[in-house]
Every structure is written in structure tokens, then in C-alpha cells.
């Protein structure tokens, strides 16, 4: 399944996503949020991961302003594997 915040006016999670998307995915697929990570490029992604009580957050740096610090910040998605291998 794919759960996404599109930013579209009819998106049920507008104006910002809340942890409900993560909670729904965890319930549907029997996922332990305490062993899960949020990876995103926006403050809303990081905030949602923290609100859902996930193990950690990874920000892929972009041109977006950073207002909320992630547990890890990387420059390219290819670095995700390295971060997860380091912490898991």
C-alpha cells in the first residue's frame, strides 16, 4: 500500500498530515511503529514520524526550509541504507 500526502485540496490529511496515516498502515500490516522509520524531505514528514512515535526520522535534504530537525539528515536517498545499517 502507498500512503501519501499530496497537498491536494481534497486530501483528507490537509493542511498537514497527522500520524493517522502511519497508524493505519501499522494496523493494516501489523507493523511495530517503534521499529519503523519516517523518511521524507519536508517538516511535515518529520513531524508526522515523531508524532506517531516511530523509532526515528531521516530527512533527505532538499530546497525546502528546515524547521524541525530529523534524527538524521542526508544529501541523497542512496545514503538511507547506510543510516539504517548503522542504527539497526
Amino acid at each position: 500500500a502507498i500512503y501519501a500526502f499530496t497537498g491536494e485540496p481534497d486530501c483528507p490529511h490537509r493542511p498537514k498530515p497527522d500520524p493517522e496515516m502511519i497508524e493505519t498502515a501499522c494496523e493494516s500490516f501489523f507493523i511495530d511503529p517503534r521499529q519503523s522509520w519516517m523518511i521524507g524531505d519536508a517538516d511535515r514528514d518529520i513531524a508526522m514520524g515523531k508524532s506517531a512515535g516511530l523509532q526515528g526520522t531521516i530527512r533527505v535534504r532538499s530546497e525546502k526550509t528546515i524547521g524541525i530537525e530529523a534524527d538524521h539528515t542526508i544529501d541523497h536517498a542512496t545514503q538511507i541504507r547506510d543510516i539504517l545499517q548503522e542504527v539497526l
Side-chain angles (χ1 to χ4, degrees):
I2 297 173
Y3 300 88
F5 173 70
T6 62
E8 297 298 321
D10 60 343
C11 178
H13 302 285
R14 193 172 171 85
K16 68 177 187 118
D18 62 30
E20 182 180 352
M21 284 193 287
I22 293 172
E23 292 163 1
T24 299
C26 288
E27 289 174 17
S28 296
F29 298 100
F30 308 102
I31 297 169
D32 183 351
R34 296 166 300 173
Q35 295 182 5
S36 302
W37 287 73
M38 169 59 80
I39 301 168
D41 68 342
D43 279 350
R44 68 176 175 258
D45 303 324
I46 305 307
M48 184 169 56
K50 289 180 180 288
S51 294
L54 300 185
Q55 180 176 350
T57 56
I58 299 173
R59 179 188 302 273
V60 180
R61 198 180 319 272
S62 67
E63 295 180 10
K64 297 176 182 171
T65 302
I66 296 175
I68 299 172
E69 290 298 321
D71 296 307
H72 301 273
T73 300
I74 57 177
D75 293 314
H76 195 273
T78 58
Q79 296 170 289
I80 294 169
R81 185 186 75 172
D82 295 336
I83 294 291
L84 293 177
Q85 283 180 331
E86 180 182 313
V87 299
L88 297 178

